[in-house]
Amino acid sequence: MTGRSPAPSFRPERFKAFVDAVVAIAMTLLILPLTDSVAEAAADHLDTAEFLAAHAGQLLSFGLSFLLIAVFWIGHHSQYRDVQAVTPALLWINVAWMATIVWLPVPTAMIGQMEPDPLQAVLYIGTLLLTQVTTLAGWLYLQRHGELITTPPAVIRGGIAGDLAAIVLFAIALVIAVAASPNGYLGLLVLLLSSPLSRLLNRIVQRRHRDSHPATPE
């Protein structure tokens, strides 16, 4: 035999179905503390208005984490839509991504039920940051292994720029959350700058690519 054997790969359909199942379970786990709180409120003979007032923080943290997981899942679906094969390395990158998604209900429950403190902010926003880092790792791997994906290189570079923007903003939000505890979670509002920062970084990335590869077709 001459040459090397192709690297083993996994069927992308099974991979994507597995990711979808993990995300669905994580989103379901977010609601469980609220379900327990309803039972406790019933035992304490609280009415609906009293329950909503007493658990406003829990409801807010649930809604925020549910939305963030949904956004991460939508991004993951777009990122891996055109992947034709999944290598072991790419699979483990996604295992790390899924670990951050599955862990998120834990700090979410902390926010809703415990007094806020800086370490709690580190766990929550740090988890979101790691989710974004593993997403970026996936883009970088796919960029280096173009045979695995049919997505145009310009789109991959745009994904990299978007993840870099999100990582920067999550890092800023983390610093604000720690410094301004217990009200530091308002620092997550910097994520509203995600689109303009992503566009800016995308222009920089695309320009640098054109300068480095003036004759490379997209």
Side-chain angles (χ1 to χ4, degrees), residues 40 73 118 125 134 148 168 180 213:
E40 294 171 2
W73 176 79
I125 301 179
T134 52
L148 299 176
V168 169
H213 307 81

mmCIF file of all heavy atoms in Angstrom, residues 40 73 118 125 134 148 168 180 213:
data_model
loop_
_atom_site.group_PDB
_atom_site.id
_atom_site.type_symbol
_atom_site.label_atom_id
_atom_site.label_comp_id
_atom_site.label_asym_id
_atom_site.label_seq_id
_atom_site.Cartn_x
_atom_site.Cartn_y
_atom_site.Cartn_z
ATOM 1 N N GLU A 40 -42.875 24.361 45.957
ATOM 2 C CA GLU A 40 -42.628 24.990 47.252
ATOM 3 C C GLU A 40 -43.603 26.143 47.495
ATOM 4 O O GLU A 40 -44.091 26.336 48.613
ATOM 5 C CB GLU A 40 -41.185 25.507 47.303
ATOM 6 C CG GLU A 40 -40.140 24.395 47.274
ATOM 7 C CD GLU A 40 -38.736 24.941 47.101
ATOM 8 O OE1 GLU A 40 -38.595 26.187 47.041
ATOM 9 O OE2 GLU A 40 -37.789 24.134 47.012
ATOM 10 N N TRP A 73 -27.279 27.238 19.653
ATOM 11 C CA TRP A 73 -27.703 26.106 18.827
ATOM 12 C C TRP A 73 -27.927 26.534 17.385
ATOM 13 O O TRP A 73 -27.531 25.840 16.439
ATOM 14 C CB TRP A 73 -28.972 25.477 19.394
ATOM 15 C CG TRP A 73 -29.492 24.374 18.520
ATOM 16 C CD1 TRP A 73 -29.036 23.089 18.441
ATOM 17 C CD2 TRP A 73 -30.559 24.462 17.563
ATOM 18 N NE1 TRP A 73 -29.750 22.370 17.506
ATOM 19 C CE2 TRP A 73 -30.688 23.191 16.949
ATOM 20 C CE3 TRP A 73 -31.415 25.492 17.179
ATOM 21 C CZ2 TRP A 73 -31.636 22.935 15.977
ATOM 22 C CZ3 TRP A 73 -32.374 25.238 16.188
ATOM 23 C CH2 TRP A 73 -32.469 23.966 15.615
ATOM 24 N N PRO A 118 -18.990 37.436 43.092
ATOM 25 C CA PRO A 118 -18.114 37.446 41.912
ATOM 26 C C PRO A 118 -17.844 36.060 41.319
ATOM 27 O O PRO A 118 -17.795 35.902 40.098
ATOM 28 C CB PRO A 118 -16.830 38.093 42.442
ATOM 29 C CG PRO A 118 -17.286 38.966 43.566
ATOM 30 C CD PRO A 118 -18.403 38.206 44.218
ATOM 31 N N ILE A 125 -20.732 33.592 33.270
ATOM 32 C CA ILE A 125 -20.231 34.223 32.050
ATOM 33 C C ILE A 125 -19.016 33.473 31.524
ATOM 34 O O ILE A 125 -18.802 33.391 30.304
ATOM 35 C CB ILE A 125 -19.910 35.708 32.311
ATOM 36 C CG1 ILE A 125 -21.170 36.437 32.797
ATOM 37 C CG2 ILE A 125 -19.375 36.371 31.039
ATOM 38 C CD1 ILE A 125 -20.960 37.902 33.105
ATOM 39 N N THR A 134 -15.008 27.301 22.133
ATOM 40 C CA THR A 134 -15.079 26.001 21.449
ATOM 41 C C THR A 134 -15.739 26.136 20.082
ATOM 42 O O THR A 134 -15.411 25.388 19.154
ATOM 43 C CB THR A 134 -15.840 24.980 22.305
ATOM 44 O OG1 THR A 134 -17.110 25.525 22.717
ATOM 45 C CG2 THR A 134 -15.047 24.599 23.542
ATOM 46 N N LEU A 148 -13.554 18.847 4.556
ATOM 47 C CA LEU A 148 -14.674 18.361 5.371
ATOM 48 C C LEU A 148 -15.953 19.162 5.163
ATOM 49 O O LEU A 148 -17.018 18.731 5.599
ATOM 50 C CB LEU A 148 -14.312 18.413 6.864
ATOM 51 C CG LEU A 148 -13.116 17.579 7.323
ATOM 52 C CD1 LEU A 148 -12.853 17.824 8.806
ATOM 53 C CD2 LEU A 148 -13.357 16.096 7.063
ATOM 54 N N VAL A 168 -14.548 38.574 22.713
ATOM 55 C CA VAL A 168 -14.123 39.859 23.275
ATOM 56 C C VAL A 168 -15.220 40.444 24.157
ATOM 57 O O VAL A 168 -14.962 40.907 25.285
ATOM 58 C CB VAL A 168 -13.755 40.839 22.145
ATOM 59 C CG1 VAL A 168 -13.585 42.261 22.695
ATOM 60 C CG2 VAL A 168 -12.484 40.393 21.446
ATOM 61 N N ALA A 180 -18.410 44.845 39.263
ATOM 62 C CA ALA A 180 -19.621 45.548 39.691
ATOM 63 C C ALA A 180 -20.579 44.644 40.456
ATOM 64 O O ALA A 180 -21.752 45.002 40.615
ATOM 65 C CB ALA A 180 -20.322 46.143 38.477
ATOM 66 N N HIS A 213 -3.421 36.690 0.106
ATOM 67 C CA HIS A 213 -3.678 35.773 -1.000
ATOM 68 C C HIS A 213 -4.366 36.534 -2.140
ATOM 69 O O HIS A 213 -5.548 36.315 -2.417
ATOM 70 C CB HIS A 213 -4.550 34.590 -0.565
ATOM 71 C CG HIS A 213 -4.022 33.861 0.633
ATOM 72 N ND1 HIS A 213 -4.213 34.299 1.928
ATOM 73 C CD2 HIS A 213 -3.310 32.699 0.717
ATOM 74 C CE1 HIS A 213 -3.651 33.443 2.760
ATOM 75 N NE2 HIS A 213 -3.076 32.482 2.073
#
